[in-house]
Amino acid sequence: MSRISTSFKDVTKKTSYFITTPIFYVNASPHIGHLYSALIADASARFQKLLNPSLNIVFSTGTDEHGLKVQKAADNCKISVENYCTKISNSYQTTFDKFDISHTSFIRTTEENHKKCVHHFWSKLQPHIRKGKYSGWYCTADETFLSEDQIELVNNVRVSKESGRQVEWAEEDNYKFDLRPFKHDLQCWLSKPDRIKPKVFHEILNREVNDLYDISLSRPKNRVSWGIPVPRDDTQTVYVWLDALVNYLTVSGYPDSKMWPPNVQVCGKDILKFHGILWPIFLIAAGLKLPKQIFVHSHWKVNDEKMSKTRGNVVDPINAGCQYTESGLRYFLLREGTAHSDGNYSDLKIKRILNAELADTLGNLLNRCCGKAINPNLSYPKLDLLQIEGLLADSYFIELNNKLEVLADIVGSHYEELNFYKGIDEIIATLQCCNRFFEYNKPWELAKQDVNKLECILHITMETLRISGLALQPIVPVLADELLNKLNINNRDWNQMTPKWKDENKIVNPTNLKKDNIVLFKKLLIN
C-alpha cells in the first residue's frame, strides 16, 4: 500500500523551497487566525527541511501597512501613522517569535526596497494601464471596489455580499487595469487540479473567472495619502492590494530574483480572489511565472461564533499561549484546523484535547517508561531481535509494528499536502496503539519475572516515542525537542523514522536517557 504523493517522493530533487504567508494588515493586533496562517507555512517549511537538510528554505511573512484603514486606525489611536505601523508590526514579530515561527524574511511594505520593487513592477504593467474616470462601489474596510453583482441591500444599507461590510459610491480619476484580456491565460493556469487547494476553493475560483472587469489600480492622494506614490504621478497612490501582493516579489529579490516563483502561497479564504485572480493576472501581464500552488485555509470561530471586535471574542495569541503554553496552542490550531471548513476554538475543547493527547497519550507514556520500578537506570534498552521475534504472535505488537512501518510515508504525504491535522491524527493513533501494547504486556510484572522481555517492551515503546517525536517536530518543535533530548536522540531527520528492528544488520547498544526530570505537558485544570 502506497499513499505517498509524487511530490513527497521527489523531494530530494528540490534545491529550494519558497513558501509565503499573506502579509497581515496593521489595522489591528494579531489574532489566532493570523497565527494559524503562519503556523501552516512554518510547519511546511520545517517538514521540508527535515526531508532534505540541505534545502534552501525561503519562508516569508510580514505586515501590510498602507491604505485608508491604516490612516483611520492611526487617527483613532492619536499617534502618527508611521509610529502606529511600527507598533502593530512589532506585535506581529513578537507573536511569531513567541510561537517559534521560523520565517526567513519579515517584510514591511513601508520599507524602501519594497517601494522600489512596486515601482519597477508598475513599469512592467504600464502597457496595460490607462488613466481615466473610475466610478463604483468602494468598501473601505476591504480596500476594494465592487461590481453591482458583488453588493446587496441589508436594512437599506449597501454592503459587500462577501464580507458584509458597508460600501459607498466613489467617482474619481485614477489609473485602471482591465482584467478581461487575461481570462484565457488565467484559465490555463487554473486548469491544473492542484493549483488551488483544497478543491472547494478551486471550484469557487473557477466560477469567479467568468466575472472579470476593469479595476482601479490607484487612488487619488487627496483620498488615500498613506500609500506608495504612482511613478511619475504623485497625485495618485498605488492600489493597496497591488502594493501588498508585490511583497512576494520583493522578498524574492525581484527584479533579480533567482527564487521565483513560490512553491506554495498560503492565504485565508477571505482573500482568495486577490491571490487567485488579481495576483496571477498581474504576473501574467508583467511576463512573470505564476505561483506553483495557492493553499487556502478557512477561518476560526470562537464558541461557534464568528470572531469579531464587535462581539469582543477576538483571541489574542499571546494571552492564549500563556494559558495553554505556546506548544499547546500550536498543537491545537494545527490539530483542529481544517483548510476546507472553519475551525472552532473553545476553552473546554482545547483543554480536553491537550490533556488527552499531549499530557496523557504522549507525556504519560514517556513518564511510564522512565518509572523507577521498571527502568531504574533510565536506559534506552538494547535491541534484541530474538525477543522481538517472540512478539510476532502478540496482536498488539503486530498492530503497532504495522503502523510504525508506514508512519513516515503516511504522515509525510499528509504534511506534503499541508493537511497537518491528518498527519497528527496518524501519530496519535500510533501512540494510542503503543499505550495499549504497553498496558497489555504489564512491564511492572515483567520487572519481577522477565527482565529481557521487559527491556524489549521498553525498547519498542521508546522507539515509538522517538519516531513520534521526529514526526511532531514541524508541529510542536519545542516539545518535540524536549522529548528527543530526553531520549538522547541526535539524528533527527525524516529518514530516521524507521523502527530499528526493521534493519536486521543494525547493532543497537543500550543508551542512557537524560537524567533530568521533565513533564512534557502539564495537565490543564478543567473547571
Side-chain angles (χ1 to χ4, degrees):
M1 179 183 69
S2 176
R3 294 170 60 182
I4 311 172
S5 68
T6 302
S7 55
F8 178 43
K9 287 190 286 187
D10 293 345
V11 69
T12 53
K13 297 178 183 178
K14 295 179 186 174
T15 58
S16 61
Y17 185 69
F18 183 8
I19 188 166
T20 70
T21 74
I23 52 173
F24 304 106
Y25 210 42
V26 295
N27 64 315
S29 296
H31 56 63
I32 54 166
H34 303 125
L35 176 61
Y36 181 56
S37 288
L39 285 174
I40 292 170
D42 179 68
S44 181
R46 287 177 183 275
F47 169 64
Q48 295 293 332
K49 194 71 173 177
L50 287 171
L51 283 175
N52 185 356
S54 64
L55 201 64
N56 177 32
I57 299 285
V58 176
F59 166 19
S60 72
T61 189
T63 44
D64 177 6
E65 302 182 19
H66 290 129
L68 193 56
K69 275 197 295 186
V70 176
Q71 285 179 218
K72 291 182 175 180
D75 289 342
N76 290 339
C77 292
K78 296 182 170 55
I79 58 175
S80 72
V81 68
E82 294 87 353
N83 288 343
Y84 174 81
C85 288
T86 297
K87 176 185 173 185
I88 302 297
S89 183
N90 286 346
S91 72
Y92 275 93
Q93 294 188 59
T94 298
T95 298
F96 292 166
D97 287 346
K98 193 83 172 168
F99 286 88
D100 298 289
I101 304 300
S102 59
H103 56 79
T104 61
S105 175
F106 188 99
I107 184 172
R108 297 180 59 187
T109 55
T110 47
E111 295 168 353
E112 284 303 316
N113 66 325
H114 176 67
K115 294 176 185 177
K116 290 176 183 176
C117 190
V118 170
H119 280 181
H120 187 91
F121 192 69
W122 182 281
S123 71
K124 293 297 181 182
L125 298 181
Q126 193 74 59
H128 310 283
I129 298 172
R130 68 188 191 280
K131 195 169 185 180
K133 187 169 289 295
Y134 192 94
S135 60
W137 295 103
Y138 188 76
C139 180
T140 300
D142 296 331
E143 299 276 11
T144 187
F145 278 97
L146 300 168
S147 67
E148 288 284 351
D149 292 338
Q150 293 173 305
I151 63 170
E152 61 184 351
L153 271 176
V154 177
N155 297 326
N156 290 322
V157 175
R158 285 184 173 84
V159 298
S160 162
K161 283 182 180 177
E162 187 174 348
S163 69
R165 293 162 173 161
Q166 189 170 348
V167 300
E168 58 185 3
W169 185 258
E171 292 186 8
E172 53 196 35
D173 291 319
N174 54 26
Y175 291 93
K176 299 193 286 186
F177 182 99
D178 190 354
L179 301 172
R180 286 165 289 202
F182 303 96
K183 179 177 178 178
H184 176 71
D185 288 336
L186 179 62
Q187 287 175 323
C188 287
W189 177 69
L190 285 171
S191 64
K192 185 176 178 181
D194 288 348
R195 192 68 76 193
I196 310 293
K197 298 193 76 175
K199 184 180 178 181
V200 60
F201 296 115
H202 202 154
E203 293 168 351
I204 290 170
L205 213 51
N206 280 333
R207 293 194 292 271
E208 297 241 358
V209 172
N210 296 317
D211 188 29
L212 300 181
Y213 47 89
D214 254 4
I215 63 165
S216 169
L217 220 54
S218 69
R219 300 296 307 279
K221 191 172 182 178
N222 60 9
R223 296 285 297 274
V224 184
S225 60
W226 184 243
I228 297 175
V230 167
R232 297 174 296 282
D233 186 351
D234 59 9
T235 67
Q236 297 273 322
T237 55
V238 174
Y239 174 42
V240 68
W241 267 106
L242 175 60
D243 166 7
L245 289 165
V246 172
N247 96 85
Y248 306 124
L249 285 169
T250 305
V251 167
S252 77
Y254 179 78
D256 303 315
S257 171
K258 294 178 181 177
M259 286 296 296
W260 196 261
N263 295 79
V264 182
Q265 298 210 256
V266 177
C267 74
K269 66 180 182 180
D270 56 322
I271 53 175
L272 170 60
K273 178 184 75 174
F274 301 100
H275 284 79
I277 292 181
L278 297 192
W279 182 223
I281 284 178
F282 290 154
L283 291 170
I284 292 165
L288 294 172
K289 292 181 178 178
L290 275 59
K292 295 175 184 177
Q293 183 183 104
I294 295 176
F295 184 82
V296 189
H297 66 78
S298 297
H299 293 163
W300 280 92
K301 294 180 179 179
V302 178
N303 296 319
D304 292 315
E305 288 191 337
K306 183 178 178 180
M307 189 164 50
S308 70
K309 284 187 281 188
T310 54
R311 286 191 173 95
N313 64 349
V314 176
V315 180
D316 173 18
I318 298 291
N319 290 341
C322 290
Q323 190 173 0
Y324 307 116
T325 76
E326 286 78 20
S327 288
L329 187 58
R330 274 187 71 116
Y331 182 83
F332 174 78
L333 293 177
L334 289 171
R335 174 72 163 119
E336 287 298 297
T338 56
H340 58 274
S341 59
D342 290 346
N344 186 42
Y345 180 100
S346 80
D347 179 67
L348 183 60
K349 187 178 186 181
I350 295 170
K351 288 179 178 179
R352 283 178 172 168
I353 287 173
L354 297 183
N355 283 347
E357 298 182 1
L358 292 188
D360 290 343
T361 302
L362 176 62
N364 194 44
L365 185 61
L366 175 65
N367 292 341
R368 296 175 83 180
C369 286
C370 299
K372 288 183 180 180
I374 64 171
N375 196 355
N377 296 322
L378 278 182
S379 70
Y380 195 134
K382 68 180 184 298
L383 174 59
D384 188 332
L385 288 174
L386 288 176
Q387 283 290 333
I388 286 177
E389 286 174 11
L391 290 172
L392 293 180
D394 180 341
S395 61
Y396 290 94
F397 175 69
I398 293 169
E399 182 187 11
L400 177 59
N401 184 45
N402 289 342
K403 284 186 174 295
L404 290 172
E405 276 189 350
V406 297
L407 193 67
D409 288 348
I410 294 177
V411 174
S413 187
H414 289 319
Y415 283 5
E416 183 70 32
E417 298 295 316
L418 277 67
N419 289 324
F420 297 105
Y421 70 100
K422 290 184 178 180
I424 297 169
D425 201 44
E426 293 288 344
I427 297 166
I428 293 301
T430 302
L431 285 165
Q432 289 169 341
C433 183
C434 187
N435 272 279
R436 292 191 294 272
F437 164 77
F438 189 88
E439 193 75 23
Y440 172 76
N441 280 285
K442 301 178 180 178
W444 52 92
E445 292 184 4
L446 293 176
K448 302 170 187 175
Q449 301 165 1
D450 191 341
V451 173
N452 289 334
K453 186 174 181 181
L454 168 64
E455 289 185 347
C456 181
I457 302 303
L458 287 175
H459 178 86
I460 291 167
T461 304
M462 289 184 187
E463 270 294 272
T464 305
L465 286 166
R466 179 185 69 84
I467 292 168
S468 299
L470 295 175
L472 284 169
Q473 287 177 104
I475 310 300
V476 278
V478 171
L479 189 146
D481 186 60
E482 289 177 355
L483 170 59
L484 295 171
N485 284 345
K486 177 67 177 179
L487 297 175
N488 219 350
I489 304 302
N490 295 318
N491 297 325
R492 302 184 179 187
D493 299 339
W494 201 260
N495 62 12
Q496 298 295 318
M497 284 180 58
T498 303
K500 290 173 183 171
W501 60 84
K502 299 310 294 182
D503 184 353
E504 295 187 9
N505 297 315
K506 187 178 287 184
I507 298 172
V508 180
N509 293 315
T511 56
N512 292 322
L513 304 183
K514 295 288 184 182
K515 299 294 183 184
D516 53 321
N517 293 320
I518 65 163
V519 176
L520 269 186
F521 193 85
K522 187 177 180 181
K523 221 161 186 181
L524 300 166
L525 182 65
I526 297 180
N527 296 328

